Amino acid sequence: MPLQSRVERSMAGDAPWLFLSPHLDDAVLSCGALIEAQAQGREIIVATLFTEATQSPHTRAAGSFMRQCTVPDAGKLFEARRAEDRAVLRDMGVQSIHLGEVDALFRRRRKPPMLGSSAWERLLPELTHRYPTYRFDIALGRIAKGDQLLIRQLRGDVAGLMALTKAELLFCPAGVGKHVDHLITREVGKGHPENVVMYSDFPYDLAAGPDEAHMSKMGFVPWTWDTGLAAKPGRIRQYPTQADALFPSGVIPLKPETYFVPAPIIDGG
């Protein structure tokens, strides 16, 4: 009999699974087919970490994001995103939890620099934000030192959720695409090495691959799920503030979901 992956072994039972989603759509984007299939026979919980924005003034990067979402007010945008997420997961038979941390686009420094007066902030909001640009900060793959305390706090929050839900598996992003919020969520998930499964970040994985060196160091290998993919685009479109911005052509590719699990150990005895 072929050796089973961590996921396949868990599938033989009905213990709860906990999915960590950086943003209010990532779990469905990356894991929607597996989640919907497994929700028929076990409790599935999706905990989204970054579910809030801050008030203006906003950086140019944040303003561009809000324009893409066609909701120019950050508070109203995230209120709509939270409502979308609750509705989609409820339809899938999944429990949703929003942890209330601020999205990287809107996250401010704890101690603004000396120029961070209200006047300077209105003139150049980038001075007071932890990740002032998308391309050169958020997507660079480097977590700011100021977010280390946040990681420790989130590890405690997730440890509490693991104990509360009695989840057998903890799914977190692999960090494909190097978005800092995805990398932070990965670091939080890695705090549970006996339970963690990583998922390939869609749609980033249409253009990028996983960090092979990182996966090799962890001893993780790919595992794929391709059942129920036909229903997945419909679920993604239930996030209207996001779907058009993510897929401007209107076409949502059907791509098998990729997960990374500990390589099965072969007993040579």
Side-chain angles (χ1 to χ4, degrees), residues 98-159:
H98 296 160
L99 295 185
E101 298 302 332
V102 174
D103 187 293
L105 276 168
F106 302 89
R107 203 145 66 238
R108 288 186 167 89
R109 302 174 188 269
R110 288 188 178 275
K111 292 183 178 180
M114 290 183 66
L115 290 177
S117 67
S118 58
W120 273 105
E121 184 177 10
R122 287 193 299 271
L123 181 64
L124 192 60
E126 283 75 7
L127 289 171
T128 56
H129 282 72
R130 187 160 290 164
Y131 300 99
T133 71
Y134 184 85
R135 182 178 177 183
F136 298 109
D137 296 289
I138 289 175
L140 199 61
R142 188 167 57 219
I143 299 172
K145 289 182 179 179
D147 274 339
Q148 294 304 316
L149 179 61
L150 175 62
I151 291 173
R152 292 194 292 272
Q153 174 206 312
L154 286 168
R155 281 178 175 165
D157 293 342
V158 170

Side-chain angles (χ1 to χ4, degrees), residues 157-211:
D157 293 342
V158 170
L161 285 176
M162 288 291 288
L164 180 66
T165 62
K166 297 180 171 58
E168 183 171 62
L169 295 183
L170 175 67
F171 291 77
C172 71
V176 177
K178 298 183 178 180
H179 189 297
V180 293
D181 284 347
H182 289 236
L183 296 180
I184 287 171
T185 308
R186 184 179 74 181
E187 289 304 304
V188 173
K190 283 168 60 178
H192 298 268
E194 299 303 316
N195 311 89
V196 74
V197 173
M198 294 189 180
Y199 57 80
S200 184
D201 313 56
F202 180 81
Y204 294 106
D205 60 6
L206 293 173
D211 185 336

Side-chain angles (χ1 to χ4, degrees), residues 227-240:
T227 301
L229 290 176
K232 191 172 174 181
R235 291 301 187 195
I236 293 172
R237 289 191 178 95
Q238 286 182 264
Y239 291 94

